[in-house]
């Protein structure tokens, strides 16, 4: 870990101070000439030498032989047929071929050319050791995975340390990052805690370059993909706070913390969506923040209860109407904003987690498949299958967040409460390739740069570490996209077959006639009553205050 802190101090504040005074000329030493030594010296006449500051250059001209260049072309049709042969007439071509093949000159020419052609083919089969044959072959570095190298650490400059709730990389500049700081235990917020969040420059990690001062601490934020001077954040009190724009009124916005805000792909790049644990998804227009343009209530179709949203994902490949929501109840919702009725806007949920779905994200290369992070495992889903197609092995610690790699289709990262980061490669194996401890505190946020080589991880102690990933995690292989798609399609097909088999068995069970069960009883005898009494008394034991009363 490289930490740099420059110490600056004015020159007047250190060292011995000089004392300058104005004095006249003073002769210190006067050495007279020695006449005896003068005879050993030869006087040299005065000479003048010219010195140039720059080296001397000479000019030379040479004329090369001139020649003219002309571009010419020719029209060449099939076979170079004579003028009297029409290449479109098959009969003319066949007659001309037979005539030429019967000619003795043609046979001798073919025999003479065969030897030359054979020699050239043998030369072509020889390998030139100086020639580069495999420049276009991408080396396989998927197995050469090394531990990420920590480049720097960004510390929360406030006295009261807060957790790094969310991280957003600058879309264009590789060295800028925005971090939202908030205390996870909102009920225990100290009074002197600052609500500020910051934008950092990785070239100067000691102090942030921009300080954002919302009224309430930000728990989510994101750079605008088109105008990078605009940042929108979701506050703890439910307000949508955009940088350099008017915030949403508190009476028109969410009633719980806004855990996720995301820009929508549009011509104006001014529309965004937000989700909160109050059970609502809201759409906003940055030019009219007086009220949301649309509101969707997250209702569970099974029992009609409200579902609190903690994660949101909009994929530009699916358009601005379809999106995913992860809820507190462990359900993943596939929603369609432009559905005809309110009931059709939320499809059948994807049940698969025992706790909140802290992260939900579609695969950047295969939009049909998405990943969810919750409880002790990560799961991969398909849109048309209601059960997870891939379930990762359960971890011993609770997972807090995760994200896909933007450059490798089958690689994603997970974070845990004990400070460990898990790296998964679906193209190689369905288990963690590596587990590395990158923080002493719980990891609360994680984001990979669009270039795929930088990863930032925020912790509960307020520090944000930036790591450089190796080429095995950042550079995609030549056939990796197709291989990962094959894995996903195979697992989705397997789950579909299992679901069809289960439905078939249930249908057979319903079609079976119900056979009444006849229960035969007989009256209790004195022997049966005595055995029941003894078993009961042996179970409860004797009582100290009174003797057991026998059953009559």
């Amino acid at each position: 870990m490289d930490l740099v802190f420059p110490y600056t101090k004015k020159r007047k504040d250190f060292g011995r101070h000089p004392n300058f005074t104005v004095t006249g000329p003073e002769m210190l030493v006067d050495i007279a000439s020695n006449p005896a030594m003068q005879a050993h010296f030869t006087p040299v006449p005065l000479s003048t030498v010219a010195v140039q500051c720059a080296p001397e250059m000479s000019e030379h001209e040479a004329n090369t032989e001139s020649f003219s260049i002309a571009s010419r072309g020719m029209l060449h049709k099939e076979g170079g047929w004579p003028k009297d042969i029409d290449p479109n007439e098959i009969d003319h071509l066949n007659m001309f071929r037979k005539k030429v093949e019967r000619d003795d000159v043609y046979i001798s020419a073919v025999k003479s050319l065969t030897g030359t052609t054979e020699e050239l083919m043998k030369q072509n089969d020889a390998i030139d050791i100086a020639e580069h044959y495999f420049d276009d072959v991408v080396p396989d570095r998927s197995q050469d995975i090394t531990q990420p190298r920590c480049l720097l650490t960004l510390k929360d400059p406030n006295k009261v340390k807060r957790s790094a709730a969310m991280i957003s990389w600058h879309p264009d500049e590789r060295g800028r990052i925005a971090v939202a700081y908030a205390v996870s235990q909102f009920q225990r917020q100290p009074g002197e805690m600052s609500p500020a969040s910051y934008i950092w420059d990785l070239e100067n990690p000691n102090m942030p370059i921009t300080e954002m001062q919302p009224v309430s601490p930000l728990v989510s934020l994101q750079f605008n993909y088109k105008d990078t001077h605009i940042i929108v954040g979701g506050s703890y009190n439910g307000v949508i706070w955009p940088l350099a724009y008017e915030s949403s009124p508190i009476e028109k916005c969410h009633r719980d913390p806004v855990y996720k805000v995301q820009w929508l792909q549009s011509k104006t790049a001014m529309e965004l969506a937000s989700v909160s644990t109050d059970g609502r998804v809201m759409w906003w227009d940055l030019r009219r923040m007086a009220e949301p343009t649309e509101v969707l209530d997250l209702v569970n179709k099974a029992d009609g209860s409200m579902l609190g949203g903690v994660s949101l994902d909009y994929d530009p490949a699916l358009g601005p109407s379809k999106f995913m929501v992860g809820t507190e109840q462990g359900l993943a919702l596939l929603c369609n904003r432009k559905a005809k009725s309110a009931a059709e806007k939320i499809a059948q949920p994807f049940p698969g987690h025992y706790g909140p779905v802290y992260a939900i994200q579609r695969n950047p290369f295969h939009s049909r498949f998405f990943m969810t992070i919750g409880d002790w495992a990560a799961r991969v889903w398909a849109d048309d299958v209601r059960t997870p197609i891939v379930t990762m092995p359960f971890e011993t610690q609770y997972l807090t967040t995760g994200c896909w790699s933007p450059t490798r289709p089958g690689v994603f990262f997970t974070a845990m409460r004990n400070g460990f980061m898990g790296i998964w490669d679906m193209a190689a194996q369905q288990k963690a390739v590596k587990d590395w401890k990158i923080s002493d505190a719980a990891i609360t946020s994680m984001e990979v740069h669009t270039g795929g080589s930088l990863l930032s991880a925020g912790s509960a102690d307020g520090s944000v570490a930036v790591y450089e990933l190796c080429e095995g995690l950042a550079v995609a292989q030549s056939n990796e996209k197709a291989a990962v798609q094959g894995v996903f399609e195979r697992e989705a097909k397997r789950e579909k077959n299992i679901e069809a088999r289960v439905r078939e068995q249930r249908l057979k069970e319903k079609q079976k006639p119900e056979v009444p069960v006849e229960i035969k009883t007989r009256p209790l005898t004195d022997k049966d009553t005595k055995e029941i009494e003894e078993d009961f008394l042996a179970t409860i034991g004797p009582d100290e205050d009174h003797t057991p009363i026998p059953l009559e």
Side-chain angles (χ1 to χ4, degrees), residues 98-327:
K98 292 179 181 180
K99 178 182 177 181
V100 172
E101 291 173 358
R102 288 194 299 265
D103 192 355
D104 296 337
V105 179
Y106 172 78
I107 298 174
S108 60
V110 171
K111 289 182 179 180
S112 62
L113 292 175
T114 302
T116 307
T117 306
E118 184 178 0
E119 184 180 355
L120 294 175
M121 292 175 63
K122 290 180 179 180
Q123 292 179 358
N124 193 36
D125 291 339
I127 298 177
D128 185 5
I129 60 175
E131 185 177 354
H132 297 278
Y133 286 95
F134 308 104
D135 291 341
D136 56 340
V137 177
V138 180
D140 186 7
R141 298 188 178 92
S142 59
Q143 303 300 327
D144 302 335
I145 296 178
T146 58
Q147 184 172 359
R149 184 170 65 94
C150 184
L151 299 179
L152 52 92
T153 303
L154 310 174
K155 297 288 186 179
D156 185 6
N158 287 278
K159 295 181 179 180
V160 180
K161 301 303 178 184
R162 307 158 295 169
S163 62
M166 187 162 289
I167 300 171
S168 178
W169 284 94
H170 195 282
D172 300 330
E173 298 185 20
R174 186 171 182 263
R176 291 201 176 184
I177 189 172
V179 184
Y181 293 94
V183 175
S184 58
Q185 297 177 347
F186 298 107
Q187 293 79 6
R188 301 181 181 179
Q189 290 187 4
E192 65 276 9
M193 188 191 72
S194 172
S197 295
Y198 304 99
I199 301 176
W200 299 83
D201 188 354
L202 302 186
E203 297 293 335
N204 183 20
N206 299 311
M207 292 298 295
I209 59 174
T210 303
E211 179 178 343
M212 297 176 288
Q213 282 288 350
V215 178
S216 181
L218 299 180
V219 295
S220 61
L221 81 169
Q222 190 180 30
F223 274 103
N224 188 289
Y225 61 92
K226 194 172 184 180
D227 188 356
T228 56
H229 296 89
I230 303 175
I231 298 179
V232 65
S235 304
Y236 163 64
N237 60 359
V239 173
I240 306 300
W241 182 86
L243 181 64
Y245 279 82
E246 183 181 357
S247 302
S248 61
I250 192 170
E251 64 273 5
K252 296 290 185 178
C253 54
H254 294 280
R255 297 184 292 270
D256 282 354
V258 183
Y259 285 103
K260 182 69 175 182
V261 290
Q262 190 165 357
W263 294 98
L264 306 182
Q265 295 288 335
S266 61
K267 295 181 180 180
T268 60
M270 289 291 180
E271 299 179 4
L272 61 118
S274 61
V275 67
S276 172
T277 50
D278 63 354
R280 294 187 296 174
V281 179
M282 293 185 177
W283 288 268
W284 306 84
D285 192 333
L286 208 61
R287 298 162 296 183
R288 298 180 295 274
M289 293 295 292
E291 59 180 0
T293 58
E294 189 177 346
V295 179
L296 174 63
D297 293 330
L298 302 176
V299 181
N300 190 354
K301 290 188 175 181
D303 53 6
S305 60
M306 295 294 293
L307 301 174
V310 292
S311 56
L312 176 69
D313 180 71
Y314 257 101
D315 191 352
L318 301 178
S321 60
K322 294 184 178 181
F323 60 96
M324 299 290 301
V325 177
T327 64

Side-chain angles (χ1 to χ4, degrees), residues 58-77:
S58 63
E59 184 179 357
H60 177 72
E61 295 182 357
N63 292 328
T64 59
E65 183 180 356
S66 61
F67 61 95
S68 59
I69 302 175
S71 299
R72 298 177 181 176
M74 63 177 294
L75 177 62
H76 179 74
K77 294 186 178 181

Side-chain angles (χ1 to χ4, degrees), residues 362-433:
R362 288 192 177 272
N363 189 282
F365 298 86
H366 308 289
S367 301
R368 181 187 163 208
F369 307 98
F370 61 93
M371 173 191 62
T372 58
I373 300 292
D375 51 61
W376 300 272
R379 291 172 172 84
V380 181
W381 308 73
D383 284 343
D384 52 351
V385 183
R386 294 298 160 180
T387 55
I389 61 174
V390 179
T391 300
M392 305 304 163
F394 277 69
E395 300 287 352
T396 57
Q397 294 288 331
Y398 211 76
L399 298 183
T400 55
T401 185
C403 58
W404 287 100
S405 170
T407 55
R408 288 203 57 190
V411 173
F412 64 92
F413 307 89
T414 58
M416 290 174 275
R417 282 187 177 177
N418 57 356
F420 275 80
M421 177 183 66
I423 301 176
W424 306 78
D425 190 353
M426 298 298 299
Q429 51 190 352
Q430 294 182 13
K431 65 178 182 179
V433 179

